[in-house]
Amino acid sequence: MSSDRQASQQDEQRRALALAFSRSGLTPEQLWTRYFALGGAAGLMEVEAYLHGLMPLPALQRDMLAHAINERLDELTWPQRVPYTFPARGSGPRTGPLAGLVGLLDGMHKAPPERLPAAAARAGRALGLRIAIYLVDYDQQTLHPLHDPEDPRRAPLGVDTSLAGRAFRTVQTLTSDSGGQHQLWVPLLDGVERLGVLAVTPPGGVGPHDPELRMWCRWLSALIGHLVTVSTGYGDGLDAIRLQRQRTPAADLIWQLLPPLTAATEGFALAGMLEPCYEVGGDAFDYTLSPESASLAIFDAVGHTLRSGFVAAAALAACRSNRRVGHGLFEQARAIDETISGQFPDGAFATGVLAELDLGSGRLRYLNAGHPPPLLLRSGRVVKRLGGGRRPPFGRGTGELTIAEETLQPGDWLVLHTDGITEARDDAGELFGESRLTDFLEREAAAQHPPPETARRLIKAVLAHQNEALRDDASILLARWTKSDELAL
């Protein structure tokens, strides 16, 4: 490069840097601090002199200063950037599985949720695959296809009546053969939460059991599942597909506060469900997982109105705000009491259970505020109703506050539920009842269904008992603890 051209580029870079600095809102000291943090070697006076064209800086120092300014422009979302002396390295990978995954991420950067099918299709083409996305509705009864321009005739598939539904239920990749062409049904997961399935068609000559193909499918499932969850947080496009009808305001309030329906750590897994999912009023649950412990909570606010949703939301918020700063069951319960009685002085209350499990020892500590007692399953049998730690409902005063304890054994299941499960009535007035609940749980344990599928099937059984029309909220939270080196889900 000629000396004149080099000098011209340096001058252009300095002018661009000075202009960007004037729009950055930074003081010279703040800019120098950012530059110094990147490894800059020039002093504050030298940087100021350079900005005013009074002295030069070496190329590397100019680029560090440019990068410090560009990072600030990123924060301000200003489109212009200061050029660098040294050219940037080439763009991302152009071929192979990494190119497909990077393309998927880039395709969803600043994209609304509705763009996900097209971004996934492009990622699939980079891998030689054809991909279609099906999302499960909030009832977990039907898998609904996202718009596929290559096959707009795709129809919804039943969770209980299709091969795709079986892949969803069992969390296993299954294959079909239509017209001599293989297709894989891949569970669509965000972590361990089931969101739907992917229909993956490999290229000719690639068998459905090819290890590399299966690996690519796992990667795509994990990344697309994560993008479904993330993009749902800032757009309604995917939610509109999963919602089969409008939620009541109370139900929408509760659903926005719930954690993921399924979660797991090494040796521990849990799953929850609420029904009726479009009209739930006062039921809610919560949990938090760490390497050492798991905390669980379930609430049932009196009534079935928006006010009931407010009470349940207040209980959740009070529990979380205290738990997150390290407060234990006593403090959480006291905070829930004070919040409900303070915000709803006209007698509102909520029943509930708070529990903490030490994942190393299996030591369970819990309290029960007027709620149905948790059930303990061991070796496929319901062996105990955990009836300790009784106190008045939240909002009615603490009474005599005691913490009960139980020691779990590896493989034990803990079942928390609201009374809408056991008090569901059929047309003849017969309750679903605890004995029917016990029989159901023991059959599910014998069938070795994991917690999320057990929760789904239980809600389906309760709905069938009450002819698909619940008169009260029905919620379930199932947890399974194993040894840390075993899989809980």
Side-chain angles (χ1 to χ4, degrees):
M1 181 184 297
S2 69
S3 59
D4 289 342
R5 183 179 177 189
Q6 188 176 30
S8 174
Q9 288 185 345
Q10 291 178 20
D11 191 48
E12 179 186 350
Q13 183 185 36
R14 189 199 63 77
R15 287 198 303 270
L17 208 155
L19 175 62
F21 173 64
S22 70
R23 300 189 179 186
S24 69
L26 296 174
T27 66
E29 291 81 5
Q30 290 170 329
L31 172 61
W32 181 83
T33 300
R34 287 172 174 247
Y35 157 77
F36 180 76
L38 293 172
L44 173 60
M45 293 182 63
E46 294 173 290
V47 168
E48 289 192 89
Y50 169 73
L51 290 173
H52 289 89
L54 301 178
M55 67 171 290
L57 283 178
L60 180 60
Q61 300 304 314
R62 295 197 306 269
D63 281 358
M64 286 186 179
L65 196 57
H67 195 66
I69 283 285
N70 286 338
E71 285 186 340
R72 174 59 176 169
L73 299 182
D74 285 339
E75 296 170 3
L76 300 175
T77 66
W78 195 46
Q80 301 301 320
R81 293 294 179 272
V82 179
Y84 297 101
T85 302
F86 299 108
R89 294 184 178 181
S91 57
R94 299 179 181 274
T95 60
L98 186 57
L101 298 178
V102 170
L104 180 55
L105 286 172
D106 287 344
M108 288 304 292
H109 183 60
K110 297 183 180 179
E114 291 86 345
R115 298 273 179 85
L116 182 58
R122 286 195 299 272
R125 285 194 292 270
L127 299 171
L129 308 174
R130 183 176 170 191
I131 297 174
I133 304 172
Y134 289 75
L135 296 182
V136 71
D137 57 30
Y138 286 105
D139 286 313
Q140 296 195 10
Q141 299 297 317
T142 307
L143 295 161
H144 298 270
L146 301 190
H147 176 65
D148 182 358
E150 296 183 6
D151 188 358
R153 298 172 298 175
R154 288 185 181 272
L157 302 171
V159 169
D160 292 295
T161 58
S162 67
L163 187 63
R166 183 181 170 195
F168 174 86
R169 298 193 314 269
T170 61
V171 195
Q172 294 180 345
T173 297
L174 303 176
T175 62
S176 61
D177 189 348
S178 177
Q181 189 172 34
H182 297 296
Q183 187 170 64
L184 283 75
W185 295 102
V186 183
L188 180 60
L189 307 172
D190 181 22
V192 295
E193 183 171 17
R194 306 179 300 178
L195 300 175
V197 295
L198 299 179
V200 179
T201 304
V206 177
H209 302 288
D210 180 271
E212 190 173 65
L213 171 63
R214 295 278 176 140
M215 178 180 64
W216 292 349
C217 288
R218 289 197 303 272
W219 290 352
L220 286 166
S221 168
L223 185 51
I224 294 174
H226 180 65
L227 291 172
V228 167
T229 299
V230 170
S231 62
T232 297
Y234 59 79
D236 295 335
L238 301 184
D239 242 2
I241 292 171
R242 301 185 68 186
L243 287 167
Q244 293 306 288
R245 56 189 175 92
Q246 183 180 355
R247 288 188 182 125
T248 65
D252 209 81
L253 172 66
I254 293 298
W255 275 93
Q256 300 311 312
L257 296 174
L258 289 180
L261 297 183
T262 307
T265 59
E266 188 177 8
F268 186 80
L270 59 80
M273 281 198 71
L274 277 71
E275 193 66 37
C277 70
Y278 299 103
E279 298 172 356
V280 62
D283 280 16
F285 63 80
D286 194 28
Y287 60 82
T288 184
L289 306 180
S290 78
E292 298 82 23
S293 64
S295 297
L296 312 176
I298 192 167
F299 302 103
D300 183 359
V302 62
H304 195 71
T305 63
L306 181 57
R307 183 173 180 273
S308 305
F310 289 150
V311 174
L316 273 176
C319 176
R320 286 173 174 169
S321 66
N322 280 266
R323 187 192 68 214
R324 286 169 176 166
V325 295
H327 292 167
L329 297 180
F330 278 111
E331 293 85 356
Q332 293 172 36
R334 186 175 295 110
I336 297 170
D337 274 313
E338 292 173 354
T339 300
I340 293 178
S341 60
Q343 297 299 317
F344 307 93
D346 53 350
F349 65 91
T351 67
V353 172
L354 304 180
E356 295 176 344
L357 175 64
D358 183 286
L359 298 180
S361 65
R363 180 193 182 207
L364 176 73
R365 303 175 69 248
Y366 68 96
L367 62 84
N368 187 325
H371 201 77
L375 302 178
L376 179 62
L377 275 81
R378 178 170 296 155
S379 301
R381 306 289 295 177
V382 175
V383 297
K384 185 177 293 188
R385 300 168 76 249
L386 303 184
R390 304 292 298 189
R391 48 145 290 162
F394 296 119
R396 292 287 180 86
T398 59
E400 184 180 353
L401 186 56
T402 60
I403 304 296
E405 292 194 9
E406 186 73 30
T407 300
L408 302 190
Q409 297 180 9
D412 281 358
W413 289 58
L414 186 64
V415 182
L416 281 62
H417 66 90
T418 61
D419 58 12
I421 296 286
T422 52
E423 295 180 7
R425 296 176 182 270
D426 64 13
D427 291 340
E430 182 180 355
L431 296 174
F432 189 82
E434 189 169 304
S435 61
R436 189 177 271 107
L437 172 61
T438 297
D439 290 342
F440 178 89
L441 293 171
E442 292 179 350
R443 289 197 307 271
E444 290 297 296
Q448 297 184 335
H449 288 135
E453 182 60 16
T454 298
R456 187 190 77 87
R457 290 166 61 88
L458 174 59
I459 292 297
K460 185 179 178 181
V462 172
L463 281 168
H465 181 77
Q466 200 158 319
N467 296 319
E468 309 299 326
L470 289 176
R471 299 175 181 86
D472 190 13
D473 299 343
S475 302
I476 188 78
L477 186 59
L478 302 173
R480 182 171 184 256
W481 176 68
T482 66
K483 294 180 180 178
S484 59
D485 58 349
E486 296 178 1
L487 291 176
L489 182 62

